[in-house]
Amino acid sequence: MKKANNMVIAQSGGPSMVINESLVGAVLAARSKRTGARIGRIYGAVHGIAGILARDYVDLRKVSEKKLMAIAATPSSALGSCRLKPTREDCRRIFEEFRRLSVGYFFYIGGNDSADAARIVAEEAEKDGYPLVCFHIPKTIDNDLRSCDHTPGFGSAARFVASAVKGDDLDNRALGGVKIDVVMGRDAGFLTAASALARERPDDGPHLIYLPEVPFSEDRFVKDVKAAMKKYGRCVIAVSEGIRGKDGVAIGAKLGSGEVDSHGNVQMSGTGALGDALAQLVKTKAGVKRVRADTFGYLQRSFPGVRSRTDAEEAFFAGAAAVRAALESGVTKGTIGILREDGRAYRVAYAARPIADAAKETRSLPREFIAKNGHDVTQAFIDYARPLVGELPACAVI
Amino acid sequence: MKKANNMVIAQSGGPSMVINESLVGAVLAARSKRTGARIGRIYGAVHGIAGILARDYVDLRKVSEKKLMAIAATPSSALGSCRLKPTREDCRRIFEEFRRLSVGYFFYIGGNDSADAARIVAEEAEKDGYPLVCFHIPKTIDNDLRSCDHTPGFGSAARFVASAVKGDDLDNRALGGVKIDVVMGRDAGFLTAASALARERPDDGPHLIYLPEVPFSEDRFVKDVKAAMKKYGRCVIAVSEGIRGKDGVAIGAKLGSGEVDSHGNVQMSGTGALGDALAQLVKTKAGVKRVRADTFGYLQRSFPGVRSRTDAEEAFFAGAAAVRAALESGVTKGTIGILREDGRAYRVAYAARPIADAAKETRSLPREFIAKNGHDVTQAFIDYARPLVGELPACAVI
């Protein structure tokens, strides 16, 4: 059999503001005469591996560079997405399809579940003796891949969250009471923690931050709110959708629809139930009259015009790095790690790492980023996150 | 008694992205040697007329022009806000306070309830024989003042809504199913209608738009969703928080907390109840598996960095126009109308109008802006709204 030199690339999991940067970074690297000389056809599978199973592709050599650059700047997954964990039988059908199309390279852009899907495909290919180079390209607004200092998508989503909380804090200054903002992040508190970047002045909100990493206690919460009301005369709260009690069960999941995807994740976003329940708690137990709750929802990952420049650039380079690693590293399966270099100036390096480092198990917000009081972040977190998010619009108060 | 030449200015009602532009426009006009030569001290009352009753002021002559410009660019009400309808007794205390401070000019920035508060103060002053020039400066993201072609605050909030729905439509393209976005607007559908500006391509969402002006029927809604799913294979829906059944009662108000302010307005924002109820309806009656609902909430009126340039400029000039009208028109009470001039190019004029034209009763989305099918807007609305919102970031699809 002639060496299969065509490639398939696809996107999977939740979209982000910059996942298309990674797609375009990879496609342009594959189209470049220097890097991608060995690459033949470039198939974009529509809706992730579901598109391979359905033989649904876009010819990514035919799309003009101008259009590709416009797509890179567009939020959400241009090829469509899916949340599918491939079975052994799915893999068998995928390799049949790859054989038909002479595909030797497979790139899958996504979070830990997508990395796990890529790992399964790579391992099944080895078992079946199908010659495949398979690379995962990191993406997740949750920032919870063990293989990266931070993940493409996080900086832009964090920028949205910090901006939203900053505006909301000004709104709360004007009308008072308690405002609760529910932030995405199923298991990791990075995105909720980023709300702290909203602060410019000592009395700016968020005044309280609740993370999935710290067991949530209703009594403690009510006490915290009362103390903040006493101190500031008002209170802005950032809460992760993933907060959980001592039993480890996410409170939002108990209140939600119970819907579960094929990776076993329970639906938490796209409902206001957690925010409403917490608002009710503040009204009845903390005796505050004006209480409002907003759930930021999907806007956090797909709002056009709000993106971090650093995040966008890194997403692009992560895509390009995967193609280079696939062609030049001699490794047949891997993920791209984004590593922060030592030194005062912010700089990153991209490196091929074992695909398993990104798959399945996620990482949490490290202990040194969580304040001792359990409802705030540390300066170490601010120093970590600021370069990823960039400066926010300055806001003045009288 | 010597002619009282000091002024009080205050902000009231819900904040907006550009209400501080109006504050700063008025203050700079009052500080200008040409326009404001007759003005003495400039008191900013903190938290609206509540600040007058509490004798809580900021000296707005002392704030530097640089700081004022930074405040103008900041969302929310820098002086703080309130939702207070002044009683006869409140007015008596206000005039006592005005007499003490030699206040002859009063400016109140806000929506229809704030205009009504200003009207009450002006009329009580006449009854009491207190010599006061009283002007309302228009502000409302709802765009529902009868005195204006459009109101300061609307363009920026509409820009947020259209951007959010545009991103959300891309998100929905990637993962499919039904997405419901609940938009602010207690009685008028302008802001929800603005979601239509998100569309670039014929199959772009929002695919369905539900307005408070069209009686909402659950059966009709379910049929519409089924038809849209058949046509597009997915469905993005913009729903006003103020949709009401045939009985005229807002559905969100029935689901909400029942909280009522002193103007008689029932709380609707700051809860996800309406979105969750509609999502449940789609799941059970339209048989769609993946249904998500987001309630945009307070982000619509206070998100830093998302604003319409036209809206910001007009808000500034409306503030300045009020001071000029107070000093030069010879009228002792009024509001500033923003009128769109005839002709192809977009241009507006500012004019003093009777304060009652802005007070209490609001205007609805005119019939010619509502599509015959009852779940969309017309091209006439798009032509009306586009110059107020400006061009959105372009988004490309493969």
Side-chain angles (χ1 to χ4, degrees), chain A residues 8-332:
Chain A
V8 166
I9 187 164
Q11 296 169 308
S12 165
S16 86
M17 250 78 112
V18 298
I19 185 171
N20 289 336
E21 293 278 357
S22 295
L23 173 68
V24 172
V27 169
L28 289 183
R31 278 164 51 154
S32 114
K33 288 214 173 75
R34 230 170 52 159
T35 316
R38 297 208 322 260
I39 299 281
R41 287 171 172 274
I42 305 172
Y43 296 99
V46 176
H47 293 296
I49 49 178
I52 303 170
L53 297 171
R55 297 191 172 180
D56 190 1
Y57 307 101
V58 176
D59 182 346
L60 289 171
R61 277 218 184 266
K62 283 202 181 141
V63 181
S64 72
E65 194 164 320
K66 190 182 165 197
K67 180 151 192 191
L68 284 176
M69 293 315 288
I71 286 167
T74 298
S76 188
S77 312
L79 287 173
S81 191
C82 73
R83 294 188 181 279
L84 188 67
K85 184 173 179 172
T87 61
R88 168 111 194 80
E89 170 61 18
D90 290 335
C91 290
R92 208 191 44 74
R93 286 179 53 207
I94 288 170
F95 306 140
E96 225 170 70
E97 181 64 3
F98 282 180
R99 199 166 282 123
R100 184 181 74 89
L101 298 174
S102 295
V103 169
Y105 302 94
F106 176 50
F107 299 94
Y108 212 32
I109 315 170
N112 65 311
D113 288 332
S114 312
D116 200 43
R119 179 192 62 78
I120 291 169
V121 169
E123 289 177 4
E124 291 294 328
E126 283 168 7
K127 278 190 213 164
D128 280 17
Y130 184 86
L132 185 70
V133 177
C134 175
F135 265 81
H136 166 253
I137 301 169
K139 174 278 340 172
T140 169
I141 65 167
D142 291 340
N143 199 37
D144 61 355
L145 300 189
R146 287 170 290 118
S147 47
C148 289
D149 172 77
H150 57 277
T151 55
F154 170 65
S156 297
R159 188 175 180 81
F160 183 93
V161 168
S163 300
V165 170
K166 188 166 188 168
D168 217 23
D169 182 58
L170 293 160
D171 201 285
N172 181 260
R173 274 180 188 274
L175 282 165
V178 170
K179 180 66 202 298
I180 299 164
D181 289 327
V182 179
V183 181
M184 273 186 171
R186 183 181 298 282
D187 297 308
F190 290 97
L191 205 51
T192 306
S195 65
L197 298 173
R199 296 178 190 142
E200 273 185 78
R201 287 155 290 263
D203 65 337
D204 280 353
H207 307 106
L208 301 170
I209 299 175
Y210 296 95
L211 306 160
E213 287 82 1
V214 180
F216 184 81
S217 143
E218 290 194 359
D219 290 344
R220 187 67 249 170
F221 171 68
V222 170
K223 271 184 203 155
D224 294 345
V225 172
K226 281 181 177 169
M229 284 299 291
K230 200 169 167 186
K231 184 167 179 189
Y232 303 104
R234 64 189 189 89
C235 182
V236 173
I237 307 170
V239 183
S240 167
E241 64 176 6
I243 53 164
R244 52 202 74 197
K246 276 192 178 163
D247 59 2
V249 179
I251 295 164
K254 289 184 199 170
L255 299 164
S257 64
E259 197 178 316
V260 178
D261 74 10
S262 80
H263 293 280
N265 302 309
V266 177
Q267 185 210 336
M268 289 198 278
S269 299
T271 154
L274 177 61
D276 289 351
L278 293 175
Q280 197 53 34
L281 195 62
V282 172
K283 275 188 194 178
T284 53
K285 298 276 178 67
V288 181
K289 204 185 149 202
R290 186 174 188 273
V291 186
R292 301 288 185 269
D294 278 328
T295 304
F296 290 170
Y298 293 97
L299 278 54
Q300 293 164 89
R301 68 185 195 194
S302 55
F303 196 94
V306 176
R307 51 164 31 195
S308 147
R309 188 181 298 187
T310 299
D311 186 35
E313 284 176 8
E314 291 179 358
F316 183 93
F317 287 126
V323 171
R324 269 199 307 276
L327 292 170
E328 296 165 11
S329 71
V331 173
T332 59

Side-chain angles (χ1 to χ4, degrees), chain A residues 13-16 20 23 47 58 60 63 67-68 70-71 73-83 159-164 166-168 170-176 179 181 257 259-260 267 269-273 276 279-280 283 289-299 301-306 393-398, chain B residues 13-16 20 23 47 58 60 63 67-68 70-71 73-83 159-164 166-168 170-176 179 181 257 259-260 267 269-273 276 279-280 283 289-299 301-306 393-398:
Chain A
S16 86
N20 289 336
L23 173 68
H47 293 296
V58 176
L60 289 171
V63 181
K67 180 151 192 191
L68 284 176
I71 286 167
T74 298
S76 188
S77 312
L79 287 173
S81 191
C82 73
R83 294 188 181 279
R159 188 175 180 81
F160 183 93
V161 168
S163 300
K166 188 166 188 168
D168 217 23
L170 293 160
D171 201 285
N172 181 260
R173 274 180 188 274
L175 282 165
K179 180 66 202 298
D181 289 327
S257 64
E259 197 178 316
V260 178
Q267 185 210 336
S269 299
T271 154
D276 289 351
Q280 197 53 34
K283 275 188 194 178
K289 204 185 149 202
R290 186 174 188 273
V291 186
R292 301 288 185 269
D294 278 328
T295 304
F296 290 170
Y298 293 97
L299 278 54
R301 68 185 195 194
S302 55
F303 196 94
V306 176
C395 289
V397 299
I398 282 182
Chain B
S16 87
N20 289 336
L23 172 68
H47 293 297
V58 176
L60 289 171
V63 181
K67 179 151 192 191
L68 284 177
I71 286 167
T74 298
S76 189
S77 311
L79 287 173
S81 190
C82 74
R83 295 188 181 279
R159 189 174 179 83
F160 183 93
V161 168
S163 299
K166 188 166 188 168
D168 217 23
L170 293 160
D171 201 286
N172 181 260
R173 273 180 188 273
L175 281 166
K179 179 67 200 300
D181 289 327
S257 65
E259 197 177 317
V260 177
Q267 184 211 335
S269 299
T271 155
D276 288 351
Q280 199 51 34
K283 275 187 194 177
K289 202 184 151 201
R290 185 173 188 274
V291 186
R292 300 288 185 270
D294 278 328
T295 303
F296 290 169
Y298 292 98
L299 278 54
R301 68 187 195 193
S302 56
F303 196 94
V306 176
C395 290
V397 299
I398 281 181

